[in-house]
Amino acid sequence: MLGMCRGRRKFLAASFILLFIPALTWLYLSATNFTVKPLPLSPLEPQSSTLALELRVREVEEENRALRKELSHPPRSPTHGNQYGSRRHGNQSHVGRDGSRHADAPRGILPGNSSDCVSQPVVDKCETIHMAIVCAGYNASRDVVTLVKSVLFHRRNPLHFHFITDSIAQQILASLFHTWMVPAVQVDFYDADELKSEVSWIPNKHYSGIYGLMKLVLTKTLPSDLQKVIVLDTDITFATDIAELWAVFHKFKGQQVLGLVENQSDWYLGNLWKNHRPWPALGRGFNTGVILLLLDRLRKLRWEQMWRLTAERELMSMLSTSLADQDIFNAVIKQNPFLVHQLPCFWNVQLSDHTRSEKCYRDVSDLKVIHWNSPKKLRVKNKHVEFFRNLYLTFLEYDGNLLRRELFGCPSETDHNSENLQKTLLELDEDDPCYEFRRERFTVHRTHLYFLHYEYEPSADKTDVTLVAQLSMDRLQMLEAICKHWEGPISLALYLSDAEAQQFLRYAQGSEVLMSRSNVGYHIVYKEGQFYPVNLLRNVAMKQVNTPYMFLSDIDFLPMYGLYEYLRKSVVQLDMAHTKKALVVPAFETLRYRLSFPKSKAELLSQLDMGTLFTFRYHVWTKGHAPTNFAKWRTATTPYRVQWEADFEPYVMVRRESPEYDRRFVGFGWNKVAHIMELDAQEYEFVVLPNAYMIHMPHAPSFDITKFRSNEQYRVCLKTLKEEFQQNMSRRYGFAALKYMTAENNS
């Protein structure tokens, strides 16, 4: 490789001489009003040689033109059309080690880095690119999705994400990637709790806490056969294909094992404020938001011992780290500068208030990686901050379903879940008028569990109850009211687009009521398909219940004040732990948007008599709640049992292990009816609580109920699905399920 560089320098030198000689010659010949004069000759040289010299000058000029023409074309890579190489035309600026730009540097050469004289190798299109990301907690799990989207958007290679996580982030990200189902993407998790002892001895003042030190132990954490990895912070946004960065590994020389971008702030220069004393660093130091790690070489260099000894030595005087792993990386580099291959600064454009990031780029095509490395994130000071913010928001709100694109021509490991799903979908008849209904049952919706921070302390008496509900954006206004009526834990599934999820986040963060509650689990199910997957949403919310019991409600109902405590007492009184019961909470409704909510049963009965309240759906769907026996409830003082009847759909409290909702029912119609039928088939007793109630609040009709009422085919398909469900029930429960068939025929 050194020979190649020398050969290229000789070629450039020869070209320079050939360019320089004729230039001087023509300057001389064109002097004195462009009159051609003979060149002064040596006394030993005959005059006749003048013509020979002129001919030689013309010869050289022709050669020079040919060379200029050849040099005007960029060198071609061995494989034509390199998808990862730069293809910008015209003047190209380059970044020096000091961060300055050099517009006149030859294409592909970066000043101050002799290794770059070799053209960048192509990354094989089927080569897997490995990334390591430390991610812990609810907020980081949400933020890292934007990074993942930006990588997926540009990528043309198989990807393998290595996440170092706590139990929270692992649960969230494992579910997200499992339901995202992006082809040619692998994900592995490594337990950060097992690594804490490796770094917990280091005092650290950085806001990332102990997780900010985890990058130090990647050589020990990641698989021993993994040779190289790109390490990324969660606040990174890619503006190009990550394969371009992966290709930089080929430029490492000698003992270089770390690829880093110079720090763009003055932190390590120690001049930010009086008596500022940073950790030792080489010049401005290096930022560890983006790192190329040659793991195999680092292990041979005994990296573990190297950074530990350095940290122990520096901590004797520094006492603690201020920038977590970055301080220790820089202290090691200060002692061993040969370890670093310095990356051009566009691979880590650092956006914080005290950086020189503007020197890294001149136009949009220069940008590669944006790093929001300030605690203030999107509120940093930068003259182009609006551009960067819009770039970030583009990926933040980008529909992640569009990133499920295949990589053609690359073998991939068979995902049995995906394979079975495709097989099932292929078996469906696309000419069936109810095809879309049937397909929805098998659609895998991308799901982000615990979108916001969640805390729950289980009660010692094992009577705790979680309210379960689902909603879309048009019911968001109900959240605050429900939180005021129900003080216990809540599990909510929200059906939103990526953009709506961010609107919800802003709404929640701006609400004092919602932010004061940490026992509400918000689970985002991303929109896909034509129908509202109501029962899938209920199942998602149910699966995240971590109390022994759950109250299955709907978002447009307000539970009575004190219902949470009343249900917990009923658990004991009705021996719910040892019997299969479904406790029925009678449902009422009002047509008034402003209701003086009844604070007792007596007050509710008064409003019922005055016509302010009604039994739920009394005028359009009496059968749905008629078995509750409201006449008996008016005077009841003790719980009473009721029998199942056709189309019964009460709101009930059941044990957490109760059956899920049937996913074939989407949109409007029979979604709760089928679930109550399933409970009855499994011999649950329906017991009405005499002092419990809930009230349906008025709202505009949903899109699905409008379709049900206006579309005959919708109603035909719903009837078909009902019949198929009943047939399934008879196969599963035999003779006991016969009553469901006869009851339907009689209704």
Coordinates of all heavy atoms in Angstrom, one line a residue, residues 514-552:
L514 N -51.5 14.0 33.8 CA -50.9 12.8 33.3 C -49.5 12.6 33.8 O -49.0 11.5 34.1 CB -50.9 12.8 31.8 CG -52.3 12.8 31.1 CD1 -52.1 12.6 29.6 CD2 -53.2 11.8 31.7
M515 N -48.7 13.8 33.9 CA -47.4 13.7 34.4 C -47.3 13.4 35.9 O -46.2 13.0 36.4 CB -46.6 15.0 34.1 CG -46.3 15.2 32.6 SD -45.1 13.9 32.0 CE -46.2 12.7 31.2
S516 N -48.4 13.6 36.6 CA -48.3 13.3 38.0 C -48.6 11.8 38.3 O -48.5 11.4 39.4 CB -49.4 14.2 38.8 OG -50.7 13.8 38.4
R517 N -49.0 11.1 37.2 CA -49.3 9.7 37.4 C -48.2 8.9 36.8 O -47.9 9.0 35.6 CB -50.6 9.4 36.7 CG -51.8 10.0 37.3 CD -52.2 9.3 38.6 NE -52.6 7.9 38.4 CZ -53.8 7.5 38.2 NH1 -54.8 8.4 38.1 NH2 -54.1 6.2 38.0
S518 N -47.5 8.0 37.5 CA -46.5 7.1 37.0 C -47.0 5.7 36.9 O -46.2 4.8 36.4 CB -45.3 7.2 37.9 OG -45.6 6.7 39.2
N519 N -48.2 5.4 37.3 CA -48.7 4.0 37.2 C -49.7 3.8 36.0 O -50.5 2.9 36.1 CB -49.4 3.6 38.5 CG -50.7 4.5 38.8 OD1 -50.9 5.5 38.2 ND2 -51.5 4.1 39.8
V520 N -49.5 4.6 35.0 CA -50.2 4.4 33.8 C -49.3 3.9 32.7 O -48.3 4.6 32.3 CB -50.9 5.7 33.3 CG1 -51.7 5.5 32.0 CG2 -51.8 6.3 34.4
G521 N -49.5 2.8 32.1 CA -48.7 2.2 31.0 C -49.3 2.6 29.7 O -50.5 2.2 29.4
Y522 N -48.6 3.3 28.9 CA -49.1 3.7 27.6 C -48.4 2.9 26.5 O -47.1 2.9 26.4 CB -48.8 5.2 27.3 CG -49.4 6.2 28.3 CD1 -48.7 6.7 29.4 CD2 -50.8 6.6 28.1 CE1 -49.3 7.5 30.2 CE2 -51.4 7.5 29.0 CZ -50.6 7.9 30.1 OH -51.2 8.8 30.9
H523 N -49.1 2.1 25.8 CA -48.5 1.2 24.8 C -49.0 1.6 23.4 O -50.2 1.5 23.1 CB -48.9 -0.3 25.1 CG -48.8 -0.6 26.6 ND1 -47.6 -0.6 27.2 CD2 -49.7 -0.9 27.5 CE1 -47.8 -0.9 28.5 NE2 -49.1 -1.1 28.7
I524 N -48.1 2.0 22.5 CA -48.4 2.4 21.2 C -48.5 1.2 20.2 O -47.5 0.5 20.1 CB -47.4 3.5 20.7 CG1 -47.2 4.6 21.7 CG2 -47.9 4.0 19.3 CD1 -48.4 5.4 22.0
V525 N -49.6 1.1 19.6 CA -49.8 0.1 18.5 C -49.9 0.9 17.2 O -50.8 1.7 17.1 CB -51.0 -0.8 18.7 CG1 -51.2 -1.7 17.5 CG2 -50.9 -1.6 20.0
Y526 N -49.0 0.8 16.3 CA -48.9 1.7 15.2 C -49.9 1.3 14.1 O -50.1 0.1 13.8 CB -47.5 1.7 14.6 CG -46.6 2.5 15.5 CD1 -45.7 1.9 16.4 CD2 -46.6 3.9 15.5 CE1 -44.9 2.6 17.2 CE2 -45.8 4.6 16.3 CZ -44.9 4.0 17.2 OH -44.1 4.7 18.0
K527 N -50.5 2.3 13.5 CA -51.5 2.1 12.5 C -51.1 1.3 11.3 O -50.0 1.5 10.8 CB -52.1 3.4 12.0 CG -53.0 4.1 13.0 CD -53.5 5.4 12.4 CE -54.5 6.1 13.4 NZ -55.0 7.3 12.8
E528 N -51.9 0.4 10.8 CA -51.7 -0.4 9.6 C -53.0 -1.1 9.2 O -53.7 -1.6 10.1 CB -50.6 -1.4 9.8 CG -50.1 -2.1 8.6 CD -48.8 -2.9 8.8 OE1 -48.3 -2.9 9.9 OE2 -48.4 -3.5 7.8
G529 N -53.3 -1.1 8.0 CA -54.5 -1.7 7.5 C -55.7 -0.8 7.5 O -55.6 0.4 7.8
Q530 N -56.9 -1.4 7.1 CA -58.1 -0.6 6.9 C -59.0 -0.4 8.2 O -59.8 0.5 8.2 CB -58.9 -1.2 5.8 CG -58.3 -1.2 4.4 CD -59.2 -1.7 3.4 OE1 -60.4 -1.5 3.5 NE2 -58.7 -2.3 2.4
F531 N -58.8 -1.4 9.1 CA -59.8 -1.4 10.2 C -59.1 -1.1 11.6 O -57.9 -1.2 11.7 CB -60.4 -2.8 10.3 CG -61.1 -3.2 9.1 CD1 -60.5 -4.1 8.1 CD2 -62.4 -2.8 8.8 CE1 -61.2 -4.4 7.0 CE2 -63.1 -3.2 7.7 CZ -62.5 -4.0 6.8
Y532 N -59.9 -0.6 12.5 CA -59.5 -0.4 13.8 C -59.4 -1.7 14.6 O -60.4 -2.4 14.8 CB -60.5 0.5 14.5 CG -60.0 1.0 15.9 CD1 -59.1 2.0 16.1 CD2 -60.6 0.4 17.1 CE1 -58.8 2.4 17.3 CE2 -60.2 0.8 18.3 CZ -59.3 1.8 18.4 OH -58.9 2.2 19.7
P533 N -58.2 -2.2 14.9 CA -58.0 -3.5 15.5 C -58.3 -3.5 17.0 O -57.5 -3.7 17.8 CB -56.5 -3.8 15.2 CG -55.9 -2.5 15.3 CD -56.9 -1.5 14.7
V534 N -59.6 -3.3 17.3 CA -60.0 -3.1 18.7 C -59.6 -4.2 19.6 O -59.1 -4.0 20.7 CB -61.5 -2.8 18.7 CG1 -62.3 -4.0 18.2 CG2 -62.0 -2.5 20.2
N535 N -59.8 -5.5 19.2 CA -59.5 -6.6 20.1 C -58.0 -6.8 20.2 O -57.5 -7.3 21.3 CB -60.2 -7.8 19.7 CG -61.6 -7.8 20.1 OD1 -62.1 -6.9 20.8 ND2 -62.4 -8.8 19.7
L536 N -57.2 -6.6 19.2 CA -55.7 -6.6 19.3 C -55.3 -5.6 20.3 O -54.4 -5.9 21.2 CB -55.1 -6.3 18.0 CG -53.6 -6.0 18.0 CD1 -52.8 -7.3 18.5 CD2 -53.1 -5.5 16.7
L537 N -55.8 -4.4 20.3 CA -55.5 -3.3 21.2 C -55.8 -3.8 22.7 O -55.0 -3.6 23.6 CB -56.2 -2.0 20.9 CG -55.9 -1.4 19.5 CD1 -56.8 -0.2 19.2 CD2 -54.4 -1.0 19.5
R538 N -56.9 -4.3 22.9 CA -57.3 -4.8 24.2 C -56.3 -5.9 24.7 O -55.9 -5.9 25.8 CB -58.7 -5.4 24.2 CG -59.8 -4.3 24.1 CD -61.2 -4.9 24.0 NE -62.2 -3.9 24.1 CZ -63.3 -3.8 23.3 NH1 -63.4 -4.8 22.3 NH2 -64.2 -2.9 23.4
N539 N -55.9 -6.8 23.8 CA -55.0 -7.9 24.2 C -53.6 -7.3 24.5 O -53.0 -7.8 25.5 CB -54.9 -8.9 23.0 CG -56.2 -9.7 22.8 OD1 -57.0 -9.8 23.7 ND2 -56.3 -10.3 21.7
V540 N -53.2 -6.3 23.8 CA -51.9 -5.7 24.1 C -51.9 -5.1 25.5 O -51.0 -5.3 26.3 CB -51.5 -4.6 23.0 CG1 -50.4 -3.7 23.5 CG2 -51.2 -5.3 21.7
A541 N -53.0 -4.3 25.8 CA -53.1 -3.7 27.1 C -53.2 -4.8 28.2 O -52.6 -4.6 29.3 CB -54.3 -2.8 27.1
M542 N -54.0 -5.8 27.9 CA -54.1 -6.9 28.9 C -52.8 -7.6 29.2 O -52.5 -7.9 30.4 CB -55.2 -7.9 28.4 CG -56.6 -7.5 28.5 SD -57.7 -8.6 27.6 CE -57.5 -10.1 28.5
K543 N -52.0 -7.8 28.2 CA -50.7 -8.5 28.4 C -49.8 -7.8 29.3 O -48.8 -8.3 29.9 CB -50.1 -8.9 27.1 CG -50.8 -10.0 26.3 CD -50.2 -10.2 24.9 CE -50.9 -11.2 24.1 NZ -50.4 -11.4 22.8
Q544 N -49.9 -6.5 29.4 CA -49.0 -5.6 30.2 C -49.6 -5.4 31.6 O -49.0 -4.6 32.4 CB -48.8 -4.3 29.5 CG -48.1 -4.4 28.1 CD -47.0 -5.4 28.1 OE1 -46.1 -5.3 28.9 NE2 -47.0 -6.4 27.2
V545 N -50.7 -6.0 31.9 CA -51.2 -5.9 33.3 C -50.3 -6.7 34.2 O -50.0 -7.9 34.0 CB -52.7 -6.4 33.4 CG1 -53.2 -6.6 34.8 CG2 -53.6 -5.5 32.6
N546 N -49.9 -6.1 35.3 CA -49.1 -6.8 36.3 C -49.7 -6.8 37.7 O -49.0 -6.9 38.7 CB -47.6 -6.3 36.3 CG -47.6 -4.8 36.4 OD1 -48.6 -4.1 36.8 ND2 -46.5 -4.2 35.9
T547 N -51.0 -6.7 37.7 CA -51.8 -6.8 39.0 C -52.5 -8.2 38.9 O -52.8 -8.7 37.7 CB -52.7 -5.7 39.2 OG1 -53.6 -5.6 38.1 CG2 -52.0 -4.4 39.3
P548 N -53.0 -8.7 40.0 CA -53.7 -10.0 39.9 C -55.0 -9.9 39.2 O -55.5 -10.9 38.6 CB -53.9 -10.4 41.4 CG -53.0 -9.6 42.1 CD -52.7 -8.3 41.4
Y549 N -55.6 -8.7 39.1 CA -57.0 -8.5 38.5 C -57.0 -7.3 37.5 O -56.1 -6.4 37.6 CB -58.0 -8.3 39.6 CG -58.0 -9.5 40.6 CD1 -57.3 -9.4 41.8 CD2 -58.7 -10.6 40.3 CE1 -57.3 -10.4 42.7 CE2 -58.7 -11.7 41.2 CZ -58.0 -11.6 42.4 OH -58.0 -12.7 43.2
M550 N -57.9 -7.4 36.6 CA -58.0 -6.3 35.6 C -59.5 -6.0 35.4 O -60.4 -6.9 35.3 CB -57.3 -6.6 34.3 CG -57.7 -8.0 33.7 SD -56.6 -8.4 32.3 CE -57.3 -10.0 31.8
F551 N -59.8 -4.7 35.3 CA -61.1 -4.2 35.0 C -61.1 -3.8 33.5 O -60.5 -2.9 33.1 CB -61.4 -3.0 35.9 CG -62.7 -2.3 35.5 CD1 -63.9 -3.0 35.3 CD2 -62.8 -0.9 35.5 CE1 -65.0 -2.3 34.9 CE2 -63.9 -0.2 35.2 CZ -65.1 -0.9 34.9
L552 N -61.9 -4.5 32.7 CA -61.9 -4.4 31.3 C -63.0 -3.3 30.9 O -64.2 -3.6 30.9 CB -62.2 -5.7 30.6 CG -61.3 -6.9 31.0 CD1 -61.8 -8.2 30.3 CD2 -59.9 -6.6 30.7

